[in-house]
Amino acid sequence: MTEIKALPLTAEGFAPFGDVIELRPQPDKIINQGKCGRHHDLATLDFSDGRAGISLFDAEPRSLPYECDLLERHPDGSQAFIPMSLTSFLVVVAPDANGKPGEPQAFVTSAGQGINFHKGTWHGVLTPLEAPGLFAVVDRIGDGANLEEYEFEEAFIISPSN
Amino acid sequence: MTEIKALPLTAEGFAPFGDVIELRPQPDKIINQGKCGRHHDLATLDFSDGRAGISLFDAEPRSLPYECDLLERHPDGSQAFIPMSLTSFLVVVAPDANGKPGEPQAFVTSAGQGINFHKGTWHGVLTPLEAPGLFAVVDRIGDGANLEEYEFEEAFIISPSN
């Protein structure tokens, strides 16, 4: 079975697939009489003909090594996963290769990091690595399935990088 | 100084001002091969002529009793505060009374609750009650100040309800 090492999530490594939603080294603006830093507009949102919505996902935690044989994508919208606890989750993505996922890559988030998949990016399902698996999700509300799934003939296994 | 008791946040009590973003008793849909519940479209978002954005707020924790003499509102958009840790925060709101805030009300959230202020709702600044004060904010990105502030002649004090 093909093994994929899950790397620590960085904005640079994740750039081909989406945005890392995390504090910048400095806030863009100080607000509320000096008591709050605003780190402004951190994700490229695109909901096509739909609208933005906020939902919650309550997902079962998993652990590494993790076997994966399915990726999906949302052709009509971006999708952001924002953890509501200081826990990490696994992010599996792949470039598109003629309408199918190419070679998968895996990342593990640090506490305080969220992510936003750009519209149409192949990705694995939400995979918390710790309880509770509670996430706010900002994605497209609108008509249509907005879902394509791809099942690999052979599963791959994602293991920790260290 | 007028004292206001901060009540536990409930969807019913907060309904005149916005949405409580929290798990429903049952998910709207089970996804990801049974491993995830989707609690769908929990907030009324409205960004007028702007667009949705995701920012992070990094705010200094405060404690109760808390003295407040300023409320603000965003005439052009809703604003959601989603805590990225399992901590509580203080929510101060007021109905509109002829273009000024009416009588303020205060709520304390439970871990796992976020909120969305409806467009134009008078509210206090983001006030975490525990560290870290890290929140994802879904609000309007667009032109214009989108901010009105109202300073009370006399501050009011917000105290715990028990």
Side-chain angles (χ1 to χ4, degrees):
Chain A
M1 203 180 301
T2 305
E3 185 184 13
I4 295 167
K5 295 281 188 189
L7 303 175
L9 181 69
T10 64
E12 193 180 3
F14 193 62
F17 309 106
D19 313 291
V20 178
I21 299 170
E22 63 186 344
L23 294 178
R24 293 178 168 138
Q26 296 296 329
D28 298 281
K29 196 175 175 184
I30 300 286
I31 59 173
N32 302 346
Q33 295 148 322
K35 295 199 183 302
C36 184
R38 181 177 175 119
H39 300 246
H40 186 69
D41 199 16
L42 302 172
T44 299
L45 306 183
D46 180 347
F47 307 110
S48 304
D49 61 338
R51 61 174 175 82
I54 302 175
S55 300
L56 294 186
F57 278 19
D58 185 19
E60 195 176 299
R62 272 81 127 204
S63 57
L64 297 180
Y66 173 73
E67 206 177 300
C68 179
D69 66 356
L70 182 85
L71 294 185
E72 63 181 36
R73 65 175 173 177
H74 308 296
D76 301 325
S78 56
Q79 184 174 50
F81 290 155
I82 299 161
M84 292 180 69
S85 64
L86 291 170
T87 53
S88 65
F89 59 106
L90 176 67
V91 181
V92 183
V93 285
D96 184 65
N98 301 314
K100 310 191 301 188
E103 197 172 341
Q105 294 182 44
F107 301 95
V108 174
T109 67
S110 301
Q113 287 182 322
I115 55 115
N116 178 59
F117 295 120
H118 290 159
K119 183 169 82 166
T121 299
W122 289 108
H123 65 275
V125 300
L126 180 59
T127 311
L129 294 173
E130 297 167 69
L134 179 64
F135 290 72
V137 177
V138 179
D139 65 0
R140 176 183 179 272
I141 310 292
D143 291 333
N146 187 25
L147 177 67
E148 285 177 44
E149 291 181 324
Y150 183 86
E151 199 165 339
F152 289 82
E153 282 180 27
E154 196 186 355
F156 46 95
I157 189 127
I158 299 162
S159 56
S161 65
N162 46 21
Chain B
M1 204 181 299
T2 304
E3 186 185 11
I4 294 167
K5 295 280 189 189
L7 304 175
L9 181 69
T10 63
E12 193 181 3
F14 193 62
F17 309 105
D19 313 291
V20 177
I21 299 169
E22 64 186 344
L23 294 178
R24 293 179 168 137
Q26 297 296 328
D28 298 281
K29 196 175 175 182
I30 301 286
I31 59 174
N32 302 347
Q33 296 149 321
K35 294 199 184 301
C36 184
R38 181 177 176 119
H39 300 247
H40 186 68
D41 198 15
L42 301 172
T44 300
L45 306 183
D46 180 347
F47 307 112
S48 304
D49 60 338
R51 61 173 175 82
I54 302 175
S55 301
L56 294 186
F57 279 20
D58 184 18
E60 196 176 298
R62 273 81 128 202
S63 56
L64 297 180
Y66 172 73
E67 206 176 302
C68 179
D69 66 357
L70 182 86
L71 294 185
E72 64 180 37
R73 65 174 174 177
H74 308 296
D76 301 326
S78 56
Q79 185 173 50
F81 290 155
I82 298 161
M84 292 179 69
S85 63
L86 291 169
T87 53
S88 65
F89 60 107
L90 176 67
V91 181
V92 184
V93 285
D96 184 64
N98 301 312
K100 309 191 302 187
E103 197 171 341
Q105 293 182 44
F107 301 94
V108 174
T109 67
S110 302
Q113 286 182 322
I115 55 115
N116 178 58
F117 295 120
H118 290 160
K119 184 169 82 166
T121 300
W122 290 109
H123 65 273
V125 301
L126 179 59
T127 311
L129 294 173
E130 297 167 70
L134 179 64
F135 290 72
V137 177
V138 179
D139 66 1
R140 177 183 178 271
I141 309 292
D143 291 333
N146 188 24
L147 177 67
E148 285 177 44
E149 291 180 325
Y150 183 85
E151 199 165 338
F152 289 82
E153 282 181 24
E154 197 185 354
F156 47 96
I157 189 126
I158 299 163
S159 57
S161 66
N162 47 21

